Amino acid sequence: MEKLTKDELIEVLKDLPVGEIHCFDEIGSTNDFGFECSAAGAPDMTVITAFEQTKGRGRMQRKWITAPGTSLPMTVIIRPTSEEMKYLNLFSPLTGLAVREGLLKGYKIDSRIKWPNDVLLNRRKICGILCETQWEGDQLNALILGVGINLLHGSAPEIPGLNYPASSVEDETGVIIPRAEWIRTFLTQLIHLRPFLGKQKFFEQWESCLAYKGEETRLVRQDGSSERCIVTGIAPDGSLITTDQNGETKTWIAGEISLREI
Ligand code: ATP
C-alpha cells in the first residue's frame, strides 16, 4: 500500500492533458478541496487525490467510507465547454463509464453500471460517484467530480446499514491495481470518453453495460416506497426507462429512485 507523492503523480500523468495535481496523505474530502480549488481558479481537469479521506461524502448527506490506502478517493474539476453545458447531468454517468472502461481496457475486468453511475462487480458496489456543481451567482463555475473506488481487499466497509452490498476490485477479481496506475488509467478513459458526452455512442456504451437490464428489480423511491419493475434502457436525456408488470413504461430522473436487488 504505497503512499503516492505529488512528484510521482506528476510523472505518471505527464503526457495527459490534466490541470493542477494535488496529492494528500490525509484530507477531509477531496470534493470539498475541489470546491476550494475551483473557487481559486484551478483549471479544467485539475486532479485531487489522497491516501486517506476522513470525511468522504455520498449523495444526500450519506457518508463515503475511504479505508486508508486500499480505497482510492479522487476528484476531478471540470470546466464544461458551452456544448457540454447542455449535458451536465451526464457527467456523473460519464465518470462511471470511465471507471468501467478503465477496468475493461486496463485489466480485462467486466463491470456493470447500476443506473445512474455506481460501478458493480458481481453485483457488488466497488465504486461510488458524487458529481457536484460550483456556482458563482447564477453562473456555473465548475463540476466537481468525486469518484471513490475500492481497489484492494479491506476497502469494502464492513458495517451494518450499507445501502448496497460492497466489495473491492481485488476481492472480486484477484487483480491488484496500484494507485498511480489506476489514476492514469481512469483519467485516460475520462479524457477519451468526454467528447462523446450526449452523443449516440455515449448512450449505447452506457446502456450496453447497464446492471439489471431486462431483469426484474426493485425500484425504491425517495419516500421509501418501492415497486418491482424491469429495467428497459436509458432515455436520450439520461433518464432510466422501466416497464412494470402491467407493461406500463415509466421514466425516472437521477435522484428520484434507487435500484435494489429483489
Ligand atoms: P443509490 O444506490 O441509492 O443510488 P448512491 O449509490 O447514490 O445510492 P452514494 O451516495 O453513491 O449512494 O454512496 C453512499 C452510500 O454508499 C453510503 O450511504 C453507504 O451505504 C455506501 N458506502 C459508503 N462507503 C462505501 C464504500 N467504500 N464502498 C461501498 N459502499 C460504500
Side-chain angles (χ1 to χ4, degrees):
M1 273 185 239
E2 82 286 26
K3 266 193 192 171
L4 263 180
T5 65
K6 183 172 173 172
D7 286 346
E8 282 171 84
L9 206 50
I10 290 172
E11 177 62 24
V12 166
L13 302 179
K14 68 175 182 238
D15 57 344
L16 293 184
V18 295
E20 293 171 10
I21 294 172
H22 298 272
C23 184
F24 293 89
D25 284 351
E26 190 191 311
I27 196 167
S29 145
T30 55
N31 262 30
D32 287 348
F33 187 72
F35 275 92
E36 283 175 37
C37 288
S38 167
D44 187 56
M45 291 301 294
T46 286
V47 178
I48 302 150
T49 188
F51 185 78
E52 184 170 1
Q53 177 180 242
T54 54
K55 289 188 182 137
R57 295 185 286 108
R59 292 192 303 149
M60 293 172 268
Q61 326 295 327
R62 294 178 189 139
K63 287 196 175 110
W64 182 260
I65 298 162
T66 314
T70 56
S71 192
L72 173 65
M74 192 190 334
T75 291
V76 181
I77 296 175
I78 300 281
R79 305 273 183 201
T81 62
S82 51
E83 178 65 14
E84 289 174 339
M85 284 284 186
K86 298 182 205 157
Y87 306 114
L88 290 179
N89 64 317
L90 299 180
F91 269 94
S92 156
L94 175 82
T95 309
L97 260 185
V99 171
R100 171 185 152 79
E101 289 298 298
L103 291 171
L104 191 64
K105 301 257 159 65
Y107 310 95
K108 297 190 170 54
I109 295 171
D110 190 13
S111 60
R112 303 275 111 190
I113 297 183
K114 178 169 80 66
W115 182 89
N117 57 25
D118 284 342
V119 184
L120 309 182
L121 279 176
N122 304 328
R123 296 181 177 252
R124 298 188 184 93
K125 178 164 160 177
I126 52 115
C127 172
I129 288 156
L130 179 65
C131 181
E132 301 184 284
T133 45
Q134 200 229 346
W135 297 84
E136 227 170 72
D138 58 1
Q139 283 281 98
L140 182 98
N141 207 4
L143 288 177
I144 313 292
L145 285 184
V147 47
I149 182 163
N150 298 332
L151 287 179
L152 302 178
H153 175 70
S155 54
E158 288 179 10
I159 53 165
L162 275 186
N163 71 349
Y164 201 83
S167 191
S168 72
V169 176
E170 182 183 2
D171 287 312
E172 295 307 315
T173 65
V175 177
I176 292 178
I177 306 178
R179 297 169 87 74
E181 194 180 289
W182 172 252
I183 294 170
R184 185 185 161 80
T185 305
F186 165 74
L187 290 173
T188 303
Q189 291 305 321
L190 188 67
I191 292 161
H192 171 73
L193 290 166
R194 196 170 160 184
F196 297 104
L197 192 77
K199 307 246 162 61
Q200 197 185 344
K201 184 182 152 125
F202 170 83
F203 288 106
E204 280 170 7
Q205 224 170 332
W206 183 12
E207 213 173 82
S208 73
C209 60
L210 200 57
Y212 305 116
K213 178 126 186 263
E215 284 178 37
E216 202 175 29
T217 182
R218 198 158 61 88
L219 182 152
V220 184
R221 295 189 195 82
Q222 289 291 348
D223 64 5
S225 63
S226 70
E227 61 183 81
R228 282 173 177 233
C229 68
I230 291 175
V231 170
T232 321
I234 295 166
D237 64 352
S239 308
L240 181 74
I241 308 171
T242 61
T243 313
D244 68 15
Q245 284 137 329
N246 306 320
E248 197 190 328
T249 297
K250 290 185 191 161
T251 57
W252 308 88
I253 57 168
E256 211 176 4
I257 54 126
S258 298
L259 293 175
R260 296 287 180 265
E261 299 258 335
I262 294 214

Coordinates of all heavy atoms in Angstrom, one line a residue, residues 58-59 62-65 114 118 125 129 150 155 157 161-163 166 258 260, ligand 1:
G58 N -21.3 11.0 0.3 CA -22.0 10.5 -0.8 C -23.2 11.4 -1.1 O -23.1 12.6 -0.7
R59 N -24.2 11.0 -1.9 CA -25.3 11.8 -2.1 C -26.1 12.0 -0.9 O -26.1 11.1 0.0 CB -26.2 11.2 -3.2 CG -25.5 11.2 -4.6 CD -26.4 10.8 -5.7 NE -27.1 9.6 -5.4 CZ -28.4 9.3 -5.8 NH1 -29.1 10.2 -6.5 NH2 -28.9 8.1 -5.6
R62 N -25.1 11.3 2.8 CA -24.5 10.0 3.1 C -23.0 10.1 3.2 O -22.4 11.0 2.6 CB -24.9 9.0 2.0 CG -26.4 8.7 1.9 CD -26.6 7.8 0.8 NE -28.0 7.6 0.5 CZ -28.5 7.5 -0.8 NH1 -27.7 7.6 -1.8 NH2 -29.8 7.4 -1.0
K63 N -22.5 9.1 3.9 CA -21.0 9.1 4.0 C -20.4 8.1 3.0 O -21.0 7.0 2.8 CB -20.7 8.6 5.4 CG -21.0 9.6 6.5 CD -20.2 9.2 7.8 CE -20.4 10.2 8.8 NZ -21.3 9.8 9.9
W64 N -19.3 8.5 2.5 CA -18.5 7.6 1.7 C -17.3 7.2 2.5 O -16.5 8.0 2.9 CB -18.1 8.2 0.3 CG -17.3 7.2 -0.5 CD1 -16.0 7.1 -0.6 CD2 -17.9 6.1 -1.2 NE1 -15.7 6.0 -1.4 CE2 -16.8 5.4 -1.8 CE3 -19.2 5.6 -1.4 CZ2 -17.0 4.2 -2.6 CZ3 -19.4 4.5 -2.2 CH2 -18.3 3.8 -2.8
I65 N -17.1 5.9 2.8 CA -16.0 5.5 3.7 C -14.8 5.1 2.8 O -14.9 4.3 1.9 CB -16.5 4.2 4.5 CG1 -17.7 4.7 5.4 CG2 -15.4 3.7 5.3 CD1 -18.5 3.6 5.9
K114 N -24.8 0.4 -12.3 CA -26.1 0.5 -11.8 C -26.6 1.9 -11.9 O -26.0 2.8 -11.4 CB -26.1 0.1 -10.3 CG -27.4 0.2 -9.6 CD -27.4 -0.5 -8.2 CE -26.8 0.4 -7.1 NZ -27.6 1.6 -6.8
D118 N -23.3 4.0 -10.3 CA -22.5 3.2 -9.4 C -21.9 2.0 -10.2 O -22.5 1.4 -11.0 CB -23.3 2.5 -8.3 CG -23.6 3.5 -7.2 OD1 -22.9 4.5 -7.1 OD2 -24.5 3.2 -6.4
K125 N -21.0 -3.3 -5.1 CA -20.6 -1.9 -5.4 C -19.1 -1.7 -5.1 O -18.7 -2.0 -3.9 CB -21.4 -0.9 -4.6 CG -21.1 0.5 -4.8 CD -22.3 1.4 -4.2 CE -22.0 2.8 -3.9 NZ -23.1 3.5 -3.5
I129 N -19.9 7.5 -7.0 CA -19.6 8.8 -7.7 C -20.4 9.9 -7.2 O -21.6 9.7 -7.0 CB -19.8 8.6 -9.3 CG1 -18.6 7.7 -9.8 CG2 -19.8 9.9 -10.0 CD1 -18.9 7.0 -11.0
N150 N -13.0 1.2 -4.5 CA -12.4 0.2 -3.6 C -11.5 -0.7 -4.4 O -11.9 -1.6 -5.1 CB -13.5 -0.6 -3.0 CG -14.5 0.2 -2.2 OD1 -14.2 1.2 -1.6 ND2 -15.8 -0.3 -2.1
S155 N -11.1 -2.6 1.7 CA -11.7 -1.3 1.4 C -13.2 -1.3 1.5 O -13.8 -0.3 1.7 CB -11.2 -0.8 0.1 OG -11.5 -1.7 -1.0
P157 N -16.5 -1.4 3.2 CA -16.8 -1.2 4.6 C -17.6 -2.4 5.2 O -18.5 -2.9 4.5 CB -17.7 0.0 4.6 CG -17.6 0.6 3.3 CD -17.1 -0.4 2.3
G161 N -26.0 -1.5 7.7 CA -26.7 -0.4 7.1 C -26.2 0.2 5.8 O -26.6 1.2 5.4
L162 N -25.2 -0.6 5.2 CA -24.8 -0.1 3.9 C -25.9 -0.1 2.9 O -26.8 -1.0 3.0 CB -23.7 -1.1 3.3 CG -22.3 -0.9 3.7 CD1 -21.4 -1.8 2.9 CD2 -21.8 0.6 3.5
N163 N -26.0 0.9 2.0 CA -27.2 0.9 1.1 C -27.1 -0.1 0.0 O -28.1 -0.3 -0.7 CB -27.3 2.3 0.6 CG -26.3 2.7 -0.5 OD1 -25.3 2.0 -0.7 ND2 -26.5 3.8 -1.2
A166 N -21.2 -4.2 -0.7 CA -20.0 -3.6 -1.2 C -18.9 -4.6 -1.3 O -18.9 -5.6 -0.6 CB -19.6 -2.5 -0.2
S258 N -33.8 4.6 -6.4 CA -32.6 3.8 -6.3 C -33.0 2.4 -6.8 O -34.1 2.0 -6.5 CB -32.1 3.7 -4.9 OG -31.7 5.0 -4.4
R260 N -32.5 -1.6 -6.5 CA -32.1 -2.6 -5.5 C -32.4 -4.0 -6.0 O -33.4 -4.2 -6.7 CB -32.7 -2.4 -4.1 CG -32.4 -1.1 -3.5 CD -31.0 -1.1 -2.9 NE -30.6 0.1 -2.3 CZ -30.0 1.2 -2.8 NH1 -29.6 1.1 -4.1 NH2 -29.7 2.2 -2.2
Ligands
ATP1 P1 -28.3 4.7 -4.6 O1 -27.9 3.2 -4.7 O2 -29.5 4.9 -3.7 O3 -28.4 5.3 -5.9 P2 -25.9 6.0 -4.2 O4 -25.2 5.0 -4.9 O5 -26.1 7.3 -4.8 O6 -27.2 5.4 -3.7 P3 -23.8 7.1 -2.8 O7 -24.1 8.4 -2.3 O8 -23.0 7.0 -4.1 O9 -25.1 6.3 -2.8 O10 -22.9 6.3 -1.7 C1 -23.1 6.5 -0.3 C2 -23.5 5.1 0.2 O11 -22.6 4.1 -0.2 C3 -23.4 5.1 1.8 O12 -24.6 5.5 2.3 C4 -23.0 3.7 2.1 O13 -24.2 2.9 2.3 C5 -22.3 3.2 0.9 N1 -20.8 3.2 1.0 C6 -20.1 4.1 1.8 N2 -18.7 3.9 1.6 C7 -18.7 2.8 0.7 C8 -17.6 2.1 0.1 N3 -16.3 2.4 0.4 N4 -17.9 1.1 -0.7 C9 -19.2 0.8 -1.0 N5 -20.2 1.4 -0.5 C10 -20.0 2.4 0.4

